[in-house]
Amino acid sequence: LLALENSLPDQALTAYQDILKTPAQKAFHPEALLKSGVAYEMKKDFSKAREMFEKVHREHPQTQAGELSFQYLLYLEHSKGA
């Protein structure tokens, strides 16, 4: 998960996708979705970033990741026009 912090979004996305495929790690799904959105944003794939942020906001609205995703959506809307 340090891949995202080290500006390696492709490696980060691989790790997050592995988490999302693992039912035993369901507690980490909201954060994995949120950080996937950040990784896609780093890759300048704003459409996919928006998709991830919307998904975590829709599926996990009561989590911290769900709340943060709304802020990321606002940021994308105002700064990138996505």
Side-chain angles (χ1 to χ4, degrees):
L1 298 178
L2 291 174
L4 189 61
E5 294 174 11
N6 292 325
S7 297
L8 301 169
D10 290 320
Q11 290 179 0
L13 283 167
T14 298
Y16 300 139
Q17 289 169 357
D18 288 344
I19 291 169
L20 292 168
K21 292 178 191 173
T22 308
Q25 295 186 11
K26 187 174 176 101
F28 300 104
H29 288 188
E31 186 174 353
L33 287 168
L34 180 70
K35 289 186 176 182
S36 292
V38 173
Y40 281 117
E41 183 181 1
M42 290 174 71
K43 291 175 51 124
K44 308 259 187 267
D45 187 343
F46 302 116
S47 175
K48 194 70 173 170
R50 173 181 286 285
E51 181 182 322
M52 293 294 106
F53 296 143
E54 287 175 344
K55 184 172 183 171
V56 69
H57 184 69
R58 180 179 61 250
E59 294 180 5
H60 307 281
Q62 302 301 321
T63 65
Q64 184 177 11
E67 293 174 8
L68 285 172
S69 67
F70 184 71
Q71 294 174 16
Y72 276 105
L73 285 166
L74 291 176
Y75 169 77
L76 278 180
E77 185 176 314
H78 293 304
S79 66
K80 308 294 181 206

